[in-house]
Amino acid sequence: PSMPVRALRRAVELIIQIGAGAERPGQVAIGTEAPAMRTVGLRWPRIARVLGMEVPEKYGGGGVKDFRFNVVIAEELQRADVNAAGLGLTLHNDICLPYFLHLTDDDQKQRWLPGICAGEQITAVAMTEPGTGSDLAGIATTAIRDGDEYILNGSKTFIPNGINSDL
């Protein structure tokens, strides 16, 4: 059963307020509290209820495959004026998470998804390269296996969530 969008919108609003440091909903003005993610601003574990909506419940996610919920989350983050944190959260939920959902085996899912959904592990993606931007078809970086290691060759220009990431 899916949660009505209006109820999710109100729940996200309250979760964001608590994530920005309120002891109880409505206590803080979020716009002055959240210029960044892990070091200041929104506390990822305290807003875990809006992370991983699409992740199956057995891994700690919401179990809801309805992208409208992700849109509501993004809208409420913007409405709360937590743009920097909002960018990191939407990248975490909408861009990185599908790789973990669709390109991992069961052991990897068990190892990573609960932490991703709990806000204990922040994800990042290194897409952009000089001259290609985020055109994935134009990426030239390589990773060549050498025994138990990989040799990376290439450069990146922007890694969203990179400074805060665990995965």
Side-chain angles (χ1 to χ4, degrees):
S2 68
M3 178 188 301
V5 172
R6 183 175 293 173
L8 174 69
R9 186 173 301 281
R10 180 65 183 138
V12 170
E13 179 183 347
L14 295 174
I15 290 164
I16 292 169
Q17 288 178 359
I18 291 168
E23 293 304 316
R24 59 186 183 282
Q27 184 179 3
V28 295
I30 296 171
T32 62
E33 297 292 324
M37 290 172 287
R38 179 174 286 172
T39 54
V40 276
L42 290 179
R43 297 179 191 116
W44 284 54
R46 292 180 78 180
I47 58 163
R49 291 177 188 91
V50 299
L51 300 174
M53 292 295 286
E54 185 181 349
V55 175
E57 290 182 50
K58 70 180 182 178
Y59 298 117
V64 178
K65 291 184 178 185
D66 187 339
F67 196 75
R68 290 178 302 169
F69 289 174
N70 294 44
V71 172
V72 167
I73 292 164
E75 288 174 351
E76 289 303 315
L77 289 165
Q78 295 304 307
R79 194 169 69 84
D81 198 20
V82 287
N83 301 333
L87 175 62
L89 287 171
T90 55
L91 176 100
H92 181 83
N93 271 344
D94 304 339
I95 296 175
C96 297
L97 188 57
Y99 291 109
F100 289 94
L101 283 172
H102 305 296
L103 300 175
T104 55
D105 61 31
D106 288 337
D107 290 337
Q108 291 169 322
K109 284 180 174 71
Q110 187 61 47
R111 185 167 65 231
W112 294 322
L113 290 176
I116 290 170
C117 293
E120 296 164 354
Q121 295 181 317
I122 296 175
T123 59
V125 63
M127 284 191 238
T128 57
E129 293 185 353
T132 63
S134 58
D135 174 16
L136 296 180
I139 287 180
T141 297
T142 59
I144 299 171
R145 191 173 192 111
D146 184 15
D148 291 339
E149 300 176 344
Y150 283 89
I151 298 172
L152 300 176
N153 184 12
S155 60
K156 299 296 175 180
T157 55
F158 180 62
I159 303 174
N161 280 357
I163 195 167
N164 296 307
S165 74
D166 302 295
L167 297 171

